[in-house]
């Protein structure tokens, strides 16, 4: 080896140049890593794979360091951060390396860096690298909080260990001494990350690294521990119902490892397409089981991060005028006080002798909006005894106070649940805890949805005569999920069990059970049945035993349940339908006659009496119009009327199908796609042609679709994507319900909208020989929810007893054919 001449302006060089050939690509490292991933006949499990990759990369780096002259006396050191620094190296993670030097000459530093970096680059190994002296690295860590956090994971790999120790020790010492002035920046940095990435527990495709409750949050807890402001892993007495913080960390790490292995990419976002395979690889189950495990892990981590940040904030010295004020101990309830912005136990509190203390603490937290101190939760978890059955009256009162507190209730229940205390109060909670929803409209896990519903219902307590039953019913309305079978029926039995344990009056327990049993009755009836049919109203009244109080509670619960489900689930349309149903039920319960169908305006009755075909166009609002189309009733009329509107680029938002003395009087609420609508006389002439068979509206719509598909629809100046993006449309759903008389059916179609959809659907129904006796058409944004009341003439007349199932299946396939997306595959065929 040849000696290098040092630069007089720099430190003395102790590095010796290696022999030729040291810059060859690290193909051996890449090939060995790939062999570990492939596994051969025996694939490594998740933890073993991480350990093997860690050993492999450390061995290569230490060998390469010796080869290129990075020795204990060379004045150079290789320091790892990131996954390699933490000892958690994942299959496709970047290698985060810093080449630290002792103020060596620039030419030598450049030479050593090239010898270290180029073999990795040439082998296409992802590398995040830097070259710095210890003061330079500490300066960057002090200026950039992300770099400062990363430096806390720094670990010596090869070379001068004293140099690495200076960097690692200096970074931790600098972090510890500067945390007081940087704490607010740390909190803002963390909250900004949460806002960008969302909550892991409640996202269909979570960011395992940066999301709230993810691996970055575990690293944040480690940073607080290094600053001596929090513990990395608190005691197991503060464990989640299914595991500790360490278990939650390991669970996320395992999922992220398998995500890398299965996707062959360094992904952080858990895409749905990989979920089933990851669940199987980790022996968790399917994607729903995986989502449940991730929810528990993320919510556990989130709880400890919140508690850790509060503990750290209270431990830091106060500045300014706040340093002159002594913290105040403010009594909140018996044995419960506020101190330092948290709810804690009083000095004389004896949780081991006071079973109701848990609920008093919870009520104080929810009503004040103050979090419960982690130490208080730990003490209650360890010492508080079980409440006797039935509960004391004061315990039930405190529970109701907590549930009626509004949004703060959510955080309170979450804290109790993450520490096992909520499960003591409600043992039935285990089946719904972290249970993922099966319907895409739900944005929360089932247990969180229940608490959100109670929070929403608390705002409506003045609208009902029994607010206590409202919030309790909201809390347990879906408690039967996760057990198989009809969750309303199972939940009703569980509600009886819960109400009895809470010490409620037997009559109130019965009402609570009925709330759970029938919590879907009003929304399902209002959106799927003909409310003008007296039998529909009679069925609802009989189901509720004519109980007006129960009816009132179910109406308000339906609103709270919808609002707690997701955006767009509750709106004016659903509210008006349920309100109409409730109004009709109350009339029957009061012994008054049901109202007749909404009256048809006299002017349209007069036109119907004249005979012939009439079309009336009336403006309602800017760009919104009512189109009333009147003609002698016949099969196929609805599809032809809707087809004429579609041919004239009029989008149907809702429709009301009526008839009077053999004349169809159909009113559509429409808006033109652009410009103004055509004249009513033009619509009338086209309607007449369609009715007479001279205008094939369905054929014309299909021809227009073909022409549009064959035409370049790009706007002037628009640059088309090089690779077309095919967005997956949500699969349509067709739901069937029995009518109130023989031969009557109700079919509900939920789908993405398309031009002329109402015309196409009604044409399919009419071609199949069915009569559309009523229809309810609703368009919300790009989604439609169309409900048709159908009559099978032969079955209605009692002709034949043939099973209609086969014919119905054929009709369903025909309807799927005109919907914008294909029907969902059966579960057995799904990939």
């Amino acid at each position: 080896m040849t000696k290098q001449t040092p630069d007089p302006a720099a430190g003395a060089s102790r590095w010796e140049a290696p022999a030729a050939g040291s810059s060859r690509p690290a193909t051996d490292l890449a090939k060995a890593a790939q062999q570990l991933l492939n596994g051969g006949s025996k694939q490594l499990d998740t933890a073993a794979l991480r350990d093997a990759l860690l050993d492999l990369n450390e061995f290569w780096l230490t060998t390469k360091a010796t080869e290129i002259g990075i020795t204990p006396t060379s004045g150079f050191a290789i320091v790892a951060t990131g996954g390699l620094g933490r000892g958690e190296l994942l299959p496709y993670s970047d290698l985060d390396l810093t080449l630290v030097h002792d103020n060596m000459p620039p030419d030598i530093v450049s030479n050593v860096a090239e010898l270290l970096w180029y073999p990795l680059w040439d082998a296409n190994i992802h590398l995040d690298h830097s070259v710095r002296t210890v003061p330079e690295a500490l300066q960057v860590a002090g200026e950039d909080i992300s770099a400062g956090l990363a430096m806390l994971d720094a670990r010596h790999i090869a070379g001068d260990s004293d140099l690495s120790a200076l960097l690692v020790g200096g970074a931790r010492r600098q972090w510890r001494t500067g945390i007081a002035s940087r704490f607010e920046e740390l909190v803002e940095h963390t909250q900004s990350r949460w806002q960008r990435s969302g909550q892991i527990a409640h996202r269909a495709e979570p960011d395992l690294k940066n999301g709230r409750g993810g691996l970055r949050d575990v690293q944040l807890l480690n940073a607080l521990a290094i600053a001596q402001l929090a513990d990395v892993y608190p005691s197991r007495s503060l464990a989640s119902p299914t595991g500790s913080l360490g278990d939650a960390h390991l669970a996320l790490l395992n999922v992220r490892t398998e995500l890398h292995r299965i996707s062959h990419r360094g992904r952080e976002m858990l895409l749905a397409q990989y979920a089933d395979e990851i669940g199987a690889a980790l022996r968790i189950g399917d994607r729903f089981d995986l989502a449940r495990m991730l929810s528990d892990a993320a919510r556990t981590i989130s709880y400890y991060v919140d508690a850790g940040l509060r503990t750290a904030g209270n431990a830091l010295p106060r500045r300014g005028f706040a340093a002159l004020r002594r913290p105040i101990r403010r009594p909140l309830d018996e044995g419960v006080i506020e101190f330092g912005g948290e709810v804690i136990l009083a000095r004389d509190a004896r949780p081991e002798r006071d079973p109701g203390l848990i609920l008093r603490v919870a009520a104080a937290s929810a009503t004040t909006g103050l979090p419960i101190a982690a130490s208080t939760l730990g003490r209650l978890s360890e010492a508080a005894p079980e409440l006797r059955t039935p509960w004391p009256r004061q315990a039930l009162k405190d529970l109701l106070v907590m549930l009626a507190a509004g949004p703060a209730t959510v955080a309170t229940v979450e804290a109790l649940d993450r520490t096992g205390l909520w499960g003591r109060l409600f043992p039935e909670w285990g089946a719904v805890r972290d249970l993922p929803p099966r319907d895409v409209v739900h944005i929360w896990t089932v247990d969180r949805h229940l608490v959100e519903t109670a929070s929403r219902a608390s705002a409506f307590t003045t609208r009902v005569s029994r607010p206590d039953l409202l919030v309790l019913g909201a809390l347990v309305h879906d408690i039967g999920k996760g057990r198989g079978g009809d969750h309303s029926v199972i939940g009703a039995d569980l509600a009886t069990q819960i109400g009895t344990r809470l010490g409620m009056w037997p009559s109130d327990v019965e009402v609570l059970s009925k709330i759970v049993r029938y919590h879907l009755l009003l929304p399902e009836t209002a959106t799927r049945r003909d409310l003008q049919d007296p039998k529909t109203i009679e069925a609802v009244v009989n189901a509720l035993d004519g109980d007006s109080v129960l009816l009132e509670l179910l109406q308000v619960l339906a609103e709270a349940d919808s609002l707690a489900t997701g955006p767009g689930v509750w709106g004016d349309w659903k509210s008006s339908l349920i309100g109409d149903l409730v109004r009709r039920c109350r009339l029957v319960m009061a012994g008054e006659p049901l109202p007749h169908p909404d009256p048809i305006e006299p002017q349209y009755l007069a036109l119907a009496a004249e005979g012939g075909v009439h079309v009336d166009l009336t403006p309602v609002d800017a760009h919104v119009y009512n189109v009333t189309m009147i003609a002698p009733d016949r099969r196929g009329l609805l599809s032809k009327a809707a087809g004429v509107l579609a041919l004239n680029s009029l989008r149907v938002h809702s429709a009301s199908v009526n008839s009077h003395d053999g004349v169809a009087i159909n009113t559509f609420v429409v808006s033109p796609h652009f410009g103004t609508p055509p004249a009513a006389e033009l619509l009338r002439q086209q309607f007449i042609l369609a009715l007479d068979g001279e205008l094939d509206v369905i054929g014309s719509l299909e021809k227009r679709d073909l022409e549009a598909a064959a035409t370049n629809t790009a706007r002037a100046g628009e640059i088309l994507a090089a690779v077309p993006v095919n967005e997956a449309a949500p699969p349509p759903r067709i739901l069937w319900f029995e009518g109130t008389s023989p031969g009557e059916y109700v079919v509900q179609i939920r789908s993405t909208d398309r031009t002329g959809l109402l015309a196409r659907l009604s044409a399919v129904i009419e071609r199949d020989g069915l009569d559309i006796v009523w229809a309810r058409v609703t368009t919300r944004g790009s989604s439609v929810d169309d409900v048709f009341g159908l009559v099978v003439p032969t079955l209605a007349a009692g002709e034949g007893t043939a099973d209609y199932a086969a014919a119905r299946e054929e009709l369903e396939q025909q309807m799927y054919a005109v919907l914008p997306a294909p029907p969902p595959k059966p579960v057995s065929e799904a990939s």
Side-chain angles (χ1 to χ4, degrees), residues 235-585:
S235 69
R236 293 190 67 90
S237 65
L238 280 183
S240 78
T242 56
S244 68
L245 178 60
D247 296 330
H249 177 203
L250 183 60
L252 289 184
L253 195 59
N254 287 342
V255 173
R256 188 176 171 218
T257 303
E258 288 301 328
L259 175 61
H260 279 213
R261 173 152 54 183
I262 290 169
S263 68
H264 306 292
R265 296 286 188 277
R267 296 183 184 275
E268 317 300 345
M269 194 82 70
L270 175 55
L271 301 182
Q273 68 197 73
Y274 304 118
D276 282 324
E277 195 172 350
I278 291 173
L282 294 175
R283 299 180 181 178
I284 295 171
D286 63 12
R287 63 186 184 277
F288 295 103
D289 298 316
L290 177 65
R292 190 170 193 177
M293 183 273 289
L294 284 175
S295 174
D296 174 72
R299 290 164 78 174
T300 299
I301 292 171
S302 294
Y303 166 74
Y304 286 116
V305 167
D306 289 343
L309 288 173
R310 288 199 309 271
T311 301
N314 288 332
L316 290 171
R318 299 172 182 269
R319 293 184 291 177
F321 288 107
L324 304 177
R325 294 194 297 267
R326 297 180 59 186
I328 299 175
R329 301 175 70 89
R330 179 167 67 98
L332 300 176
D333 204 335
E334 180 67 29
V336 186
I337 65 172
E338 173 198 351
F339 181 75
E342 294 181 319
V343 175
I344 66 171
L345 299 181
R347 292 190 179 97
D348 57 352
R350 297 293 180 267
E352 63 277 1
R353 303 177 186 174
D354 191 352
L357 186 56
I358 295 175
L359 285 167
R360 290 206 302 279
V361 168
S365 172
T367 54
T368 61
L370 298 171
I372 306 172
S375 58
T376 295
L377 289 166
R379 189 176 172 193
L380 289 172
S381 179
E382 291 173 349
E386 301 282 344
L387 278 165
R388 62 175 173 80
T389 301
W391 284 12
R393 300 301 298 172
Q394 186 59 43
L396 176 57
K397 178 182 176 183
D398 289 331
L399 174 66
L400 293 172
V401 168
M402 184 198 71
L403 294 178
T409 300
V410 177
T412 300
V413 174
E414 187 77 4
L416 294 176
D417 192 40
R418 290 302 106 185
T419 51
L421 293 169
W422 189 249
R424 291 191 196 177
L425 301 173
F426 293 94
E428 301 83 1
W429 206 258
V432 297
R433 180 181 291 110
D434 297 301
L435 185 66
R438 298 278 172 156
D439 196 328
V440 295
V441 300
H442 283 264
I443 61 174
W444 305 112
T445 55
V446 174
D447 60 328
R448 175 66 179 270
H449 167 70
L450 291 177
V451 183
E452 289 283 345
T453 305
S455 172
R456 294 281 189 172
S458 67
F460 307 144
T461 51
T462 56
R463 288 165 44 180
V464 296
S465 58
R466 291 298 304 272
D468 54 338
L469 293 177
L470 173 63
V471 293
L472 284 173
L475 182 69
V476 300
H477 73 278
D478 279 343
I479 197 68
K481 288 187 174 181
R483 294 174 168 85
D486 187 335
H487 78 279
S488 298
V489 176
I490 297 172
D493 293 336
L494 293 174
T496 300
Q497 175 180 303
I498 291 170
T500 303
R501 187 173 67 250
L502 298 186
M504 299 169 61
W505 291 107
S507 57
D508 289 346
V509 173
E510 183 179 0
V511 174
L512 180 64
S513 178
K514 288 182 177 179
I515 289 174
V516 177
R517 175 65 184 87
Y518 298 112
H519 72 274
L520 295 176
L521 178 63
L522 297 187
E524 289 185 347
T525 302
T527 57
R528 298 175 181 175
R529 301 289 181 176
D530 183 6
L531 301 186
Q532 297 179 2
D533 186 348
K535 293 181 180 179
T536 300
I537 309 305
E538 182 182 357
V540 174
V541 172
N542 290 339
L544 303 183
D545 294 327
D547 189 341
S548 60
V549 173
L550 178 58
L551 178 67
E552 174 188 66
L553 290 168
L554 290 176
Q555 180 183 13
V556 176
L557 177 58
E559 181 175 353
D561 189 10
S562 297
L563 291 171
T565 296
V569 178
W570 184 257
D572 293 340
W573 174 77
K574 192 172 184 178
S575 175
S576 63
L577 288 179
I578 293 178
D580 186 26
L581 172 59
V582 170
R583 177 173 61 88
R584 294 171 184 268
C585 289

Side-chain angles (χ1 to χ4, degrees), residues 164-182:
S164 297
L166 283 175
L167 177 59
V168 173
R172 295 189 169 213
R173 188 164 48 252
Q174 179 175 275
W175 176 259
R176 198 156 39 240
T177 57
I179 189 64
S181 60
R182 306 187 70 180

Side-chain angles (χ1 to χ4, degrees), residues 714-744:
R715 299 181 179 88
E718 181 180 5
I719 300 175
L720 298 179
V723 179
V725 178
N726 299 315
E727 297 183 359
R733 295 187 66 190
I734 298 178
L735 307 173
W736 290 89
F737 310 94
E738 296 289 338
T740 55
S741 300
E744 292 185 4

Side-chain angles (χ1 to χ4, degrees), residues 673-688:
H673 280 278
F674 49 85
T676 58
E681 182 58 29
L682 175 60
L683 296 176
R684 176 178 174 274
Q685 292 299 326
Q686 292 181 353
F687 190 29
I688 292 173

Side-chain angles (χ1 to χ4, degrees), residues 40-319:
S41 60
K42 186 176 181 181
Q43 193 175 57
L44 294 173
D45 65 28
T46 310
L49 175 61
R50 287 196 302 271
D51 291 342
L53 288 171
L54 185 69
D55 292 342
L56 173 64
N57 281 272
E58 284 192 12
F59 176 76
W60 188 92
L61 286 170
T62 53
T63 302
K64 175 59 69 174
T66 302
E67 181 182 325
I68 63 177
I70 300 179
T71 64
T73 59
S74 64
F76 287 95
I78 301 175
V79 174
T81 57
L84 183 60
R86 290 189 300 274
E88 300 173 350
L89 191 62
L90 273 62
Y92 290 93
S93 290
D94 292 350
L95 286 180
D96 297 299
L97 300 173
T98 298
L99 178 62
V100 185
H101 64 92
D102 189 12
N103 198 29
M104 301 297 287
D107 57 333
I108 292 180
V109 171
S110 178
N111 196 355
V112 173
E114 290 177 359
L115 289 170
L116 180 59
W117 305 145
Y118 271 98
L120 297 170
W121 286 333
D122 292 341
N124 294 320
I125 294 174
H126 296 288
L127 180 66
D128 188 354
H129 65 287
S130 61
V131 180
R132 295 188 175 102
T133 64
V134 170
E136 288 171 346
L138 294 180
Q139 181 180 357
V140 172
E143 294 172 349
D144 182 355
I145 198 161
S146 296
L149 288 168
M151 197 62 70
L152 298 177
D153 296 325
R155 184 168 63 90
H156 173 73
I157 297 296
D160 189 340
S161 59
D162 291 338
L163 199 58
S164 297
L166 283 175
L167 177 59
V168 173
R172 295 189 169 213
R173 188 164 48 252
Q174 179 175 275
W175 176 259
R176 198 156 39 240
T177 57
I179 189 64
S181 60
R182 306 187 70 180
F183 185 71
E184 291 184 5
E185 182 187 1
L186 176 65
V187 173
E188 291 176 1
H189 175 79
T190 300
Q191 292 175 342
S192 176
R193 171 169 55 79
W194 289 342
Q195 189 173 9
R196 290 192 309 270
S197 304
Q199 299 185 58
I200 290 177
H202 305 293
R203 287 186 77 105
E205 295 184 333
D207 185 333
L208 301 175
K209 181 178 179 180
N210 298 299
R212 181 170 171 81
L215 295 169
R216 284 282 190 223
D217 285 343
V218 178
Q219 295 162 27
L220 173 63
L221 278 173
N222 181 61
L224 295 177
I226 291 172
Q228 300 177 346
L229 297 177
D231 294 328
V232 182
Y233 292 141
S235 69
R236 293 190 67 90
S237 65
L238 280 183
S240 78
T242 56
S244 68
L245 178 60
D247 296 330
H249 177 203
L250 183 60
L252 289 184
L253 195 59
N254 287 342
V255 173
R256 188 176 171 218
T257 303
E258 288 301 328
L259 175 61
H260 279 213
R261 173 152 54 183
I262 290 169
S263 68
H264 306 292
R265 296 286 188 277
R267 296 183 184 275
E268 317 300 345
M269 194 82 70
L270 175 55
L271 301 182
Q273 68 197 73
Y274 304 118
D276 282 324
E277 195 172 350
I278 291 173
L282 294 175
R283 299 180 181 178
I284 295 171
D286 63 12
R287 63 186 184 277
F288 295 103
D289 298 316
L290 177 65
R292 190 170 193 177
M293 183 273 289
L294 284 175
S295 174
D296 174 72
R299 290 164 78 174
T300 299
I301 292 171
S302 294
Y303 166 74
Y304 286 116
V305 167
D306 289 343
L309 288 173
R310 288 199 309 271
T311 301
N314 288 332
L316 290 171
R318 299 172 182 269
R319 293 184 291 177

Side-chain angles (χ1 to χ4, degrees), residues 604 615-619 625-628 645 650 670 677-681 683:
Y604 298 138
V615 174
D616 179 68
L617 179 67
T618 306
Y625 300 82
N626 277 341
V627 177
T628 302
L645 298 175
L650 294 174
V670 304
E681 182 58 29
L683 296 176

